[in-house]
Amino acid sequence: MLFDRDGTLIRDVPYNGDPRLVEPMPGATEALGRLRRADVPVAVVTNQSGVARGLVTPDEMDQVNARVEELLGPFDAWAICVHDDGDGCTCRKPAPGLVIRAAAVLDVSPRDCVVVGDIGRDMAAARAAGARGILVPTKETRPEEIDEAPEVADDLTDVVERVLNDVSEAPVPAAAAPWARAMGWSRW
């Protein structure tokens, strides 16, 4: 499963370069723990344009990410876009690059990934990569983003419940790795 960082896994502090300000979203620790116990790989896909804008140094971003892992546990992959909207990159959400990159590190097809985020850009990136998108709205999520989301969940606990229930019902080849059996993911 691929998670947006700010507003999804941790409270959104715009252009945060201070690890002391990292605070997990409600239910994040428990949801990630449940996925890890089910041998489901977890990754982060995050836009960090503050680096391109000079508002956050790469070292500060790394310190914040280290604090995220300290509080929420290790992630199997991090896919980070440090570009700004005007840079024309293919990784910055809503482009699919981060989803594709994280899927490649996890050695799965993007179409077998679930992208969890709090805004329309997250859902657009999932759609562009052929992944399943689940929106977990916050007070910053615009009403039209909720209306346009392919799937909306109440919180991270709801997301994990849906995904684990869905995959427990899906047939998976017997030769698949344990985590692939848990998610129904195929290698590409």
Side-chain angles (χ1 to χ4, degrees):
M1 288 188 62
L2 313 180
F3 293 88
D4 173 55
R5 191 187 83 174
D6 303 317
T8 302
L9 290 174
I10 62 172
R11 296 227 182 257
D12 188 11
V13 176
Y15 309 110
N16 183 21
D18 185 349
R20 295 172 298 180
L21 300 178
V22 174
E23 180 184 349
M25 291 295 281
T29 304
E30 297 79 9
L32 291 166
R34 187 166 176 210
L35 291 170
R36 290 178 180 118
R37 285 189 300 278
D39 292 324
V40 175
V42 291
V44 177
V45 289
T46 181
N47 286 346
Q48 295 299 316
S49 65
V51 174
R53 296 175 186 182
L55 302 171
V56 178
T57 68
D59 183 59
E60 289 169 333
M61 180 190 67
D62 290 343
Q63 289 177 39
V64 168
N65 291 342
R67 180 68 175 153
V68 170
E69 285 206 332
E70 183 180 317
L71 294 172
L72 296 177
F75 290 88
D76 298 297
W78 282 79
I80 304 168
C81 175
V82 297
H83 304 109
D84 199 1
D85 280 334
D87 291 339
C89 70
T90 60
C91 55
R92 183 166 173 76
K93 294 180 282 183
L98 293 179
V99 174
I100 293 167
R101 185 183 316 156
V105 170
L106 297 175
D107 195 24
V108 298
S109 170
R111 72 179 176 275
D112 294 323
C113 291
V114 177
V115 177
V116 182
D118 64 315
I119 61 173
R121 280 179 178 254
D122 301 318
M123 298 303 97
R127 187 177 313 108
R132 177 181 176 186
I134 303 178
L135 183 75
V136 180
T138 65
K139 61 182 178 169
E140 285 80 28
T141 310
R142 296 189 323 259
E144 61 270 18
E145 293 174 322
I146 297 169
D147 292 342
E148 295 170 3
E151 192 171 345
V152 179
D154 295 330
D155 53 29
L156 292 176
T157 302
D158 184 20
V159 169
V160 171
E161 189 69 29
R162 289 176 188 210
V163 170
L164 291 180
N165 282 341
D166 289 350
V167 298
S168 69
E169 298 169 5
V172 179
W179 60 265
R181 284 193 297 275
M183 287 304 295
W185 283 350
S186 60
R187 294 183 180 271
W188 50 314

